[in-house]
Amino acid sequence: MSILLDSHAFLWWLTADPRLSVNAKSAIDNGETVRHVSAVTAYEIANKVRIGKLELAREIVDTFDEIIAAGRFSRLDITHVHALLAGQMPGTHRDPFDRLLAAQAITGSLAVVSCDTAFDDFGVARLW
């Protein structure tokens, strides 16, 4: 299985937050799962730290590359293909982070690990 972690799922996994569902944790911890973290997640976390909405994640921002490497996550860059698809997807959900993650999931045939049901409207496989 190949998965793409939504920002909250990534943070909750890192911090052993009990809000991470048992199914999500199991998929992330499974050694056979190919786990992706998007540049979108890096931007969203860094942006929220900058504006004061996620001060507790400052250390994560400062050591993001090391965390990705130590956790054996695959980095997923944003391409123009992702951006164009995200901008054209129908629906009323306006969160640009979610739209980009959905586009990456669609183009990469990835399941998104997220509690956010907005991904269901994009026709993305969602694991929670």
Side-chain angles (χ1 to χ4, degrees):
M1 173 188 317
S2 293
I3 60 175
L4 174 60
L5 279 72
D6 194 355
S7 301
H8 67 272
F10 178 65
L11 288 172
W12 292 352
W13 181 81
L14 282 176
T15 60
D17 191 302
R19 291 177 287 180
L20 185 66
S21 76
V22 172
N23 286 340
K25 183 176 180 341
S26 177
I28 297 166
D29 289 342
N30 183 330
E32 295 181 19
T33 300
V34 179
R35 304 169 314 159
H36 299 274
V37 174
S38 174
V40 172
T41 293
Y43 173 64
E44 183 173 18
I45 293 170
N47 189 55
K48 287 183 178 181
V49 167
R50 178 185 59 82
I51 63 174
K53 290 181 88 175
L54 199 57
E55 184 58 37
L56 296 174
R58 181 166 301 283
E59 184 177 338
I60 293 168
V61 170
D62 293 342
T63 59
F64 196 84
D65 287 335
E66 292 86 357
I67 291 169
I68 296 298
R72 297 185 179 182
F73 289 97
S74 296
R75 290 179 178 94
L76 187 56
D77 293 332
I78 304 166
T79 69
H80 70 282
V81 172
H82 300 136
L84 289 169
L85 179 57
Q88 296 178 70
M89 287 190 300
T92 59
H93 189 64
R94 298 175 58 146
D95 184 324
F97 301 119
D98 289 350
R99 285 183 159 275
L100 280 166
L101 289 173
Q104 288 180 308
I106 290 167
T107 60
S109 299
L110 307 170
V112 176
V113 179
S114 179
C115 66
D116 189 345
T117 59
F119 288 102
D120 301 343
D121 294 336
F122 294 127
V124 172
R126 184 174 62 88
L127 178 82
W128 195 250

